[in-house]
Amino acid sequence: NKQPLFTPELTAEEGTLLRCGQNLPVQPGAQYHHSSHCEPPSQNLHLQENPHRDARSAGFQTALSSSSLSGGVNGCHALSSYPIKQEGYKLGSALGDFSGGMGAGRRELDRLSSGGGSGGGEGNLATVLSLSAMAVTVYPFNNEDGSSLLALSPSSRHSARPNTSGLKRRCLSVASQSASEGIDIAANICSSQMSCVNGLRTNSSSPTAATFSHKPLPGPQLPSPSTSSCLLPLSSSSSSSSVSSVEHCEDVGSMQPGPGVGSSEGLGLLIQPGAVLDSCTATLKQEPVDEFSPSEEELFQHHYHYLTSHGSHCGGHSHHHHHHQTGPPRLSMPPPYHLHQYMGSGPGALLHFQSQQQSPPSGLLAQPKPTGLVEQQVDDREDVFSDKQVCRWIDCSAAYEQQEELVRHIEKVHIDQRKGEDFTCFWAGCVRRYKPFNARYKLLIHMRVHSGEKPNKCMFEGCNKAFSRLENLKIHLRSHTGEKPYLCQHPGCQKAFSNSSDRAKHQRTHLDTKPYACQIPGCTKRYTDPSSLRKHVKIHSAKEQQVRRKVRVKT
DNA sequence: GTCTCTGTTCTT
DNA sequence: AAGAACAGAGA
């Protein structure tokens, strides 16, 4: 159906002329307005009233210039006057004149980004809040006996791909026993874009958290107390009522309690009976399945427990910290890879409470999402933050209006600053689980999984598809051009394919190498790919059930 | 930064 | 089984 606007008969230039620049708004003189989440939280650094285009968008579609694709799909660099944000946007500066006014934008970007915005802002935090933060984020690291957040009950260590539609406001409650600490904590933890720890108090009725006494334990420490959590003021109530500090977390974008929060076992050291750990969640969409995340059932159980024992609710009041860029300033970089590995006795656990927000940026909501392992979106919070691009890098909860801003943020704050370090993705819930990439560029590309950035747009008329990777765009373009460079190597077979993967799959049919065998007793069916096998098993099972039903009816 | 191979998943 | 999309990894 899709007729290429430029056919192979057209020259590359013709094709380029015709196609380049579609749907690519130009904003000359645009200045980079970086909303660093490192700025003091009191300011409106989160909302970009006038979101500016990234100067780097000035890069032209040059990436395809080296493409060997037939049909004249040869890139736009020569003739396009539009700053197409494509894979090659990095070339923007190199292109010089091509980038036009955008070059100035880039310089402005550099100036701004180097000039500040990365300050600490530690002073903005009250001591008590810092202590609360420690209670939430540091303490888990220090457990030596594995009974902390890191020590997950087997039941909590299973995968969950929850359809969170039923949890538009997920309130998670955990009431657990702390045998060793003797601390009564009424914690209202709203972990999401901001992790809110509210109402930390001691048995002595002191409203301060200063008496929170956890003994430092050996083991890796966080570089510094993470203050990424939004720490609401302590409850003024000195009552021993465990429900005294039920707060409303309405600025919560999303969260999905991770292993620690979801597991009362995990929090057992911290929370005494009656203590309340209440997560009011709001999930924009699902991040990749975290096999260590609590299941929906667990979440519900905790919630139910809380509701029944404390009569709590999530629709509280007060403490309306509506920061779009949420959370206090970052104080430190995420812990290095080895620390995460240490924490990794419950991978994801150390993603502390932020990691529990299993919601990828909402920007992906509008796009057809890959249905693979990487991300599963569940738009169950259209009412909150649905228009925000949220950074879920560990210890970060920056939110932006525009996806581009999030992309810039990720690159600037989380990738560029990891010079010389391992190139590890610390995105909450990332299935890579802190396995570093061997190159910065790889991490950069990988982050598109989370940001949803797809800078490689198909230039064919009527095709609005976009791809995160240039290679995949090239393969896609072959579906337009009909190019099938991968010939089946089986003697006598003339089949051709647009990519080697499909060819390999096809060739397996020749070799009868069907590694995916049906495990159903008596069934000898085999398939070349797991997808087909699953389909078969499904049908097989359905048939068997039918047979069983018939047998039952007869008897 | 790109190419290529490879594997997975979903859809047709 | 093919087509398409996505993404990891090594060269």
Side-chain angles (χ1 to χ4, degrees):
Chain A
N1 239 356
K2 293 170 187 169
Q3 280 295 337
L5 185 61
F6 54 103
T7 64
E9 286 71 39
L10 289 173
T11 67
E13 282 78 11
E14 285 166 342
T16 303
L17 265 176
L18 289 168
R19 296 302 316 138
C20 285
Q22 62 175 357
N23 303 323
L24 295 158
V26 187
Q27 298 188 9
Q31 290 190 349
Y32 177 67
H33 186 78
H34 181 60
S35 277
S36 169
H37 69 312
C38 299
E39 293 165 5
S42 58
Q43 301 170 13
N44 287 331
L45 23 95
H46 33 276
L47 271 183
Q48 306 270 327
E49 293 294 328
N50 299 302
H52 299 296
R53 312 280 304 181
D54 187 353
R56 295 169 304 172
S57 299
F60 289 81
Q61 164 50 345
T62 59
L64 286 175
S65 61
S66 62
S67 167
S68 60
L69 292 170
S70 63
V73 185
N74 233 10
C76 304
H77 62 289
L79 299 165
S80 171
S81 58
Y82 295 90
I84 303 173
K85 186 175 181 186
Q86 289 276 12
E87 181 88 30
Y89 67 82
K90 292 272 186 195
L91 296 169
S93 57
L95 285 168
D97 293 338
F98 286 135
S99 56
M102 301 300 281
R106 177 58 198 243
R107 284 190 292 277
E108 181 68 8
L109 181 153
D110 294 338
R111 185 183 66 78
L112 288 173
S113 57
S114 64
S118 57
E122 292 91 330
N124 293 326
L125 295 172
T127 303
V128 62
L129 300 186
S130 298
L131 286 167
S132 301
M134 291 177 68
V136 173
T137 59
V138 177
Y139 187 74
F141 290 85
N142 293 338
N143 285 300
E144 59 188 352
D145 59 1
S147 57
S148 72
L149 299 176
L150 304 179
L152 303 176
S153 65
S155 61
S156 69
R157 296 173 66 93
H158 65 267
S159 174
R161 280 183 186 253
N163 175 357
T164 57
S165 59
L167 296 177
K168 291 217 166 191
R169 281 197 178 267
R170 176 187 301 138
C171 304
L172 172 76
S173 309
V174 176
S176 347
Q177 179 96 29
S178 171
S180 58
E181 300 296 338
I183 304 164
D184 182 7
I185 306 168
N188 177 5
I189 300 181
C190 308
S191 72
S192 82
Q193 310 328 320
M194 49 200 305
S195 301
C196 312
V197 178
N198 192 14
L200 182 67
R201 77 175 181 282
T202 67
N203 277 336
S204 62
S205 293
S206 166
T208 74
T211 53
F212 181 82
S213 59
H214 72 74
K215 52 176 182 270
L217 297 170
Q221 308 280 327
L222 273 176
S224 68
S226 167
T227 54
S228 66
S229 301
C230 164
L231 305 169
L232 298 182
L234 294 175
S235 167
S236 58
S237 167
S238 61
S239 158
S240 61
S241 164
S242 59
V243 206
S244 61
S245 59
V246 175
E247 301 291 343
H248 177 42
C249 318
E250 62 179 291
D251 36 3
V252 165
S254 74
M255 83 204 67
Q256 179 172 345
V261 173
S263 163
S264 58
E265 198 175 318
L267 283 172
L269 281 178
L270 293 172
I271 303 175
Q272 281 218 329
V276 173
L277 190 71
D278 182 15
S279 278
C280 306
T281 73
T283 304
L284 289 171
K285 69 174 184 170
Q286 272 322 93
E287 267 285 349
V289 181
D290 186 339
E291 61 184 303
F292 301 103
S293 296
S295 67
E296 194 82 337
E297 290 76 12
E298 287 170 303
L299 297 176
F300 176 76
Q301 283 165 6
H302 289 306
H303 185 188
Y304 179 77
H305 175 81
Y306 178 47
L307 287 175
T308 53
S309 59
H310 304 289
S312 172
H313 61 91
C314 274
H317 51 82
S318 73
H319 296 303
H320 183 199
H321 298 230
H322 204 107
H323 297 297
H324 297 272
Q325 166 142 359
T326 55
R330 288 163 56 89
L331 297 183
S332 64
M333 294 292 291
Y337 182 49
H338 68 277
L339 282 188
H340 283 272
Q341 286 181 312
Y342 172 82
M343 314 158 184
S345 62
L350 240 284
L351 296 176
H352 56 74
F353 298 107
Q354 190 178 23
S355 70
Q356 296 126 25
Q357 2 159 350
Q358 297 290 311
S359 67
S362 57
L364 294 182
L365 294 174
Q367 300 173 344
K369 276 296 300 171
T371 47
L373 287 170
V374 179
E375 292 191 67
Q376 184 185 25
Q377 69 187 68
V378 177
D379 182 9
D380 60 352
R381 282 307 298 256
E382 302 91 301
D383 53 335
V384 177
F385 270 166
S386 60
D387 57 340
K388 295 292 182 296
Q389 304 290 323
V390 179
C391 178
R392 296 181 58 230
W393 193 271
I394 189 170
D395 275 8
C396 180
S397 50
Y400 299 93
E401 292 284 321
Q402 303 293 323
Q403 183 189 60
E404 287 178 8
E405 295 169 322
L406 173 63
V407 170
R408 284 200 305 271
H409 161 82
I410 291 171
E411 185 175 347
K412 266 248 163 281
V413 177
H414 301 309
I415 298 180
D416 279 357
Q417 291 189 17
R418 300 192 75 77
K419 291 164 192 158
E421 302 178 39
D422 55 357
F423 303 101
T424 305
C425 175
F426 288 107
W427 196 268
C430 178
V431 293
R432 256 192 95 80
R433 300 220 167 281
Y434 317 121
K435 184 185 174 190
F437 290 94
N438 56 6
R440 178 185 169 281
Y441 180 76
K442 298 274 188 185
L443 175 58
L444 201 61
I445 298 297
H446 166 80
M447 291 313 294
R448 291 175 182 167
V449 168
H450 303 303
S451 69
E453 184 193 18
K454 291 182 175 181
N456 303 286
K457 295 173 175 57
C458 178
M459 298 166 293
F460 274 77
E461 179 107 53
C463 183
N464 296 317
K465 287 200 171 73
F467 301 83
S468 62
R469 285 169 46 164
L470 180 62
E471 304 93 283
N472 291 332
L473 169 61
K474 285 183 176 177
I475 291 171
H476 163 78
L477 285 171
R478 290 176 188 148
S479 70
H480 292 300
T481 63
E483 187 192 18
K484 292 182 175 179
Y486 295 91
L487 303 173
C488 175
Q489 291 160 334
H490 186 75
C493 183
Q494 304 291 317
K495 271 270 188 185
F497 301 86
S498 63
N499 64 84
S500 61
S501 185
D502 286 345
R503 178 180 64 182
K505 193 166 69 175
H506 164 80
Q507 288 183 162
R508 283 201 289 266
T509 67
H510 285 305
L511 302 170
D512 202 30
T513 50
K514 299 177 178 177
Y516 302 95
C518 178
Q519 301 298 317
I520 297 171
C523 183
T524 56
K525 280 273 188 183
R526 300 183 72 89
Y527 297 88
T528 56
D529 66 296
S531 184
S532 298
L533 172 60
R534 275 193 297 274
K535 195 172 160 186
H536 159 77
V537 170
K538 217 182 254 179
I539 295 168
H540 198 124
S541 304
K543 279 181 181 172
E544 278 199 345
Q545 277 189 346
Q546 262 187 340
V547 170
R548 280 195 213 108
R549 266 192 229 116
K550 283 180 183 173
V551 170
R552 262 188 243 126
V553 169
K554 281 181 183 174
T555 55

